[in-house]
Amino acid sequence: MSVIFLPATKESINHTYYKNPFDTPAQIIKGLYETESIKPNKKIKGIIVPHHLLASKNIATGIKMISPKTEHIILISPDHFNKCKNFVCIASGVFETYFGNIHTSSIAYNPLIDTNKDLFIKEHGIYTILPYIAYLNNNIKVTPLAVSVDKKWFSKREILVDIINKAITNDTVIVVSSDFSHYLSLDESNLKDQESIKLIKNNDPNKLLKLNNPDNTDCPICLYLVSKLSKIRNFDNILELLHTNSANILNVPQYKETTSHFVIIYTSK
């Protein structure tokens, strides 16, 4: 099973053209302007970035570390609004961004995967990341996957890993779009983040699958997938680059409900 690149056609543009959802590019450009210049020693094969636009700098820093010569990105997000009726939903078509249009690629049919046009109109776990990818290189083909966060994943996990693994080429990067602790105080959030980052670095997929949503992360299955694929594909050298919290970004440490973010890269050893 290999990646199927789907060029834009008249039909796909008429029926699966996703308009830019942002009112202004200001926050995206601010993040790109503030990007920390970090150059990895080896080519990135996997990365975790937030989709919380308040952490625009983190998103930009992470995505800009990916080689602009990359041909294919598999972008994995939680299905935030429970719109996917199956285990995974995929978008095919064209996404408009401030930096050009992103054309999607698909993967071969599997009964665990559905298409769902309406889901991706509002799925910020996908559309928040796409402008940064387009800024990097809007010729990169992107396979957007929204995974269900309420399905009983344990018995299906290996099947989905196999589906994605067969769609990976030598020039594919796995991008996981995930925020971390939600709705906790800064101190509580930091404790949960310590738990999460320890498990991520230990790279035990099944333990990651058991993380709490929303206390630890909004997508345990996303973290499971990148962990499992990193082992199969031998890109399991894991490095934490950035860790932030909305309370610190806004300089309001007394906030009772915060959101935290990591930028984590996966490379070969």
Side-chain angles (χ1 to χ4, degrees), residues 156-168:
K156 304 294 184 182
R157 67 197 191 285
E158 298 288 353
I159 301 173
L160 182 60
V161 168
D162 186 60
I163 294 167
I164 297 175
N165 184 41
K166 289 177 178 176
I168 295 174

Side-chain angles (χ1 to χ4, degrees), residues 54 75 128 161 163 173 176 193 247:
L54 183 65
L75 177 57
T128 298
V161 168
I163 294 167
V173 176
V176 168
D193 287 350

Side-chain angles (χ1 to χ4, degrees), residues 15-269:
H15 297 287
T16 57
Y17 185 86
Y18 298 91
K19 292 185 178 180
N20 183 353
F22 296 103
D23 294 329
T24 169
Q27 204 159 15
I28 298 169
I29 291 173
K30 182 175 184 292
L32 290 165
Y33 178 77
E34 294 176 345
T35 300
E36 294 193 24
S37 180
I38 305 173
K39 293 185 179 180
N41 293 328
K42 295 190 176 181
K43 186 177 179 180
I44 290 173
K45 298 298 293 180
I47 189 166
I48 301 171
V49 294
H51 44 248
H52 190 196
L53 199 54
L54 183 65
S56 177
K57 173 183 172 181
N58 298 38
I59 306 171
T61 298
I63 297 300
K64 286 176 71 177
M65 291 179 66
I66 298 171
S67 169
K69 296 180 181 180
T70 297
E71 293 181 359
H72 178 223
I73 285 175
I74 297 178
L75 177 57
I76 305 173
S77 164
D79 170 22
H80 281 91
F81 306 107
N82 297 316
K83 296 289 187 182
C84 187
K85 303 304 181 185
N86 208 333
F87 283 85
V88 179
C89 281
I90 189 167
S92 63
V94 182
F95 285 83
E96 180 186 45
T97 85
Y98 289 114
F99 306 108
N101 292 346
I102 290 285
H103 293 241
T104 67
S105 66
S106 190
I107 53 181
Y109 170 77
N110 186 279
L112 293 184
I113 299 178
D114 284 340
T115 57
N116 187 321
K117 175 185 175 182
D118 293 338
L119 181 159
F120 290 93
I121 294 172
K122 295 185 178 181
E123 183 46 70
H124 58 282
I126 298 295
Y127 72 66
T128 298
I129 309 301
L130 292 176
Y132 302 89
I133 295 174
Y135 181 87
L136 179 72
N137 180 356
N138 66 8
N139 289 319
I140 296 174
K141 301 291 185 181
V142 179
T143 303
L145 301 177
V147 299
S148 171
V149 295
D150 64 355
K151 299 292 185 186
K152 301 300 181 184
W153 266 105
F154 205 79
S155 64
K156 304 294 184 182
R157 67 197 191 285
E158 298 288 353
I159 301 173
L160 182 60
V161 168
D162 186 60
I163 294 167
I164 297 175
N165 184 41
K166 289 177 178 176
I168 295 174
T169 70
N170 289 333
D171 201 42
T172 297
V173 176
I174 305 293
V175 176
V176 168
S177 168
S178 176
D179 294 330
F180 281 79
S181 65
H182 289 67
Y183 315 125
L184 302 176
S185 70
L186 181 58
D187 288 342
E188 292 169 330
S189 173
N190 285 334
L191 287 174
K192 288 297 182 183
D193 287 350
Q194 288 174 22
E195 294 175 4
S196 300
I197 193 61
K198 182 179 180 180
L199 290 179
I200 289 169
K201 289 180 177 179
N202 287 343
N203 213 24
D204 185 325
N206 289 333
K207 288 184 178 179
L208 288 168
L209 195 57
K210 295 176 183 178
L211 285 172
N212 180 268
N213 178 6
D215 287 356
N216 290 100
T217 172
D218 58 9
C219 196
I221 181 62
C222 299
L223 303 184
Y224 168 87
L225 289 171
V226 69
S227 174
K228 191 73 175 180
L229 289 163
S230 76
K231 288 176 173 290
I232 294 170
R233 290 277 175 169
N234 297 314
F235 56 86
D236 53 351
N237 183 48
I238 301 168
L239 180 63
E240 173 194 348
L241 298 181
L242 295 174
H243 175 220
T244 58
N245 186 287
S246 56
N248 290 331
I249 294 173
L250 295 170
N251 197 26
V252 188
Q254 67 271 24
Y255 267 172
K256 293 183 178 179
E257 294 188 356
T258 70
T259 303
S260 67
H261 331 95
F262 282 100
V263 176
I264 300 164
I265 62 171
Y266 293 72
T267 69
S268 58
K269 292 181 178 177

